[in-house]
Amino acid sequence: MSTKDRMLPANVKSSIVRAADDYKYPAAFLVAFIGIWTFGVRFYEIPQYVLPTPLDIVTSFDGQFGELAPHMEATLWEAFFGWTVGNFIGITLGAVMAEFTVLKRSIYPYVIMLRSLPVVAFAPLLIIWMGVNTGPILAAATITTFFPSLVNSIAGFSSTDQLTKELMHSLNASRWEVFRKVKLYNAVPYIFSALRISVALAFVGAVVGEWLVGNQGLGYLIIVANNQLDTLLLFRALIIIGAFATAWFGLMMYLERWIVDWGSQASGGATR
């Protein structure tokens, strides 16, 4: 065994091997994609204002972060606000609707109907009700995250099998105990699925809101870049949005894995 192997704990080595295995195919695809993109632009002599090379885009960031920072901060805050509020309302209402069947049967069809409407369709109403300010942007981000969170939460809280509920009732468990110890536990994967899905949707809502009424943010920059035919600025804004969403999505995956592992260990400890 080498000195390096003796210095690395087994769990660290396992994590490194697992991470390498998870990311080797995406990394290979990215390298191939960048190569084909660069070759295509150079071979067909495509002008930079139509399609710059990846290297042009990367070098265009040099010295631009100071200018981009307030727009990044604005979009990140709007997306975070919409994601937090939308998921809080969606999960809470989903738990209530799953707990009270009459409420679920009364409201759920209308939830599905509203879910099918694009957020742009709500924009005129949001502007009339809230004015031309950040209110419609925050509302758009909240609406886009609310519906998937609600639908997933209802499915999660309703997924408990009947035998488990009857067993809990036979043990004289209260309704709150059944909810906390069985239904909430079963709903965790559904809730995290909603939290992950809604990350991208929160940015969609924030960017759409900035298109409509914003004077700051990455969505606003996309409009400016389009009007000025500034393709590099357009790509910079898109890359930053994608980087934010990917990092946030990864954080949710890590948090889910940590909570599930922690729950499994806690459950195992209880049984011992």
Side-chain angles (χ1 to χ4, degrees):
M1 182 181 292
S2 67
T3 304
K4 183 179 179 181
D5 290 337
R6 287 197 300 270
M7 293 176 62
L8 291 176
N11 59 338
V12 175
K13 287 193 293 184
S14 175
S15 299
I16 294 174
V17 171
R18 188 169 58 184
D21 188 60
D22 287 344
Y23 293 108
K24 63 182 180 183
Y25 292 112
F29 175 81
L30 180 63
V31 171
F33 179 74
I34 290 175
I36 294 172
W37 181 351
T38 303
F39 173 79
V41 171
R42 298 281 168 77
F43 183 80
Y44 291 103
E45 298 180 347
I46 300 175
Q48 189 186 73
Y49 69 88
V50 176
L51 182 62
T53 65
L55 182 60
D56 292 333
I57 297 170
V58 171
T59 55
S60 73
F61 277 96
D62 186 30
Q64 297 295 319
F65 277 103
E67 181 181 340
L68 293 171
H71 298 284
M72 294 161 57
E73 182 181 351
T75 300
L76 190 59
W77 155 245
E78 292 154 2
F80 179 75
F81 179 92
W83 181 82
T84 303
V85 176
N87 278 300
F88 175 77
I89 297 174
I91 293 169
T92 303
L93 187 58
V96 173
M97 289 175 64
E99 194 67 20
F100 299 96
T101 307
V102 174
L103 189 63
K104 175 184 173 183
R105 295 178 63 182
S106 302
I107 299 178
Y108 198 67
Y110 303 104
V111 171
I112 298 299
M113 182 185 71
L114 291 173
R115 187 193 181 195
S116 64
L117 298 175
V119 67
V120 178
F122 294 99
L125 287 175
L126 296 177
I127 294 172
I128 291 172
W129 292 337
M130 299 181 176
V132 182
N133 50 49
T134 57
I137 303 174
L138 299 177
T142 302
I143 289 171
T144 54
T145 59
F146 165 73
F147 289 114
S149 178
L150 174 62
V151 173
N152 270 35
S153 298
I154 292 174
F157 286 112
S158 303
S159 65
T160 308
D161 65 273
Q162 189 61 30
L163 287 176
T164 304
K165 288 190 286 188
E166 290 177 358
L167 176 62
M168 291 293 290
H169 290 149
S170 69
L171 297 173
N172 292 325
S174 65
R175 192 168 187 171
W176 169 246
E177 287 175 323
V178 174
F179 175 83
R180 183 169 57 87
K181 296 181 178 179
V182 177
K183 293 184 177 180
L184 182 59
Y185 183 81
N186 284 342
V188 167
Y190 293 86
I191 291 174
F192 270 101
S193 177
L195 293 177
R196 292 198 307 270
I197 294 171
S198 58
V199 168
L201 294 175
F203 281 99
V204 170
V207 168
V208 169
E210 289 169 354
W211 286 354
L212 298 170
V213 296
N215 56 13
Q216 193 176 42
L218 297 172
Y220 170 76
L221 277 189
I222 290 174
I223 295 295
V224 172
N226 182 59
N227 293 337
Q228 298 176 351
L229 294 179
D230 189 343
T231 313
L232 288 174
L233 177 59
L234 184 60
F235 271 101
R236 285 201 296 271
L238 293 176
I239 288 173
I240 292 171
I241 292 171
F244 277 152
T246 303
W248 199 335
F249 187 93
L251 178 63
M252 286 299 103
M253 287 187 64
Y254 175 80
L255 188 61
E256 178 183 11
R257 186 177 300 174
W258 181 77
I259 288 179
V260 170
D261 289 346
W262 173 79
S264 300
Q265 291 173 5
S267 177
T271 56
R272 284 193 298 270

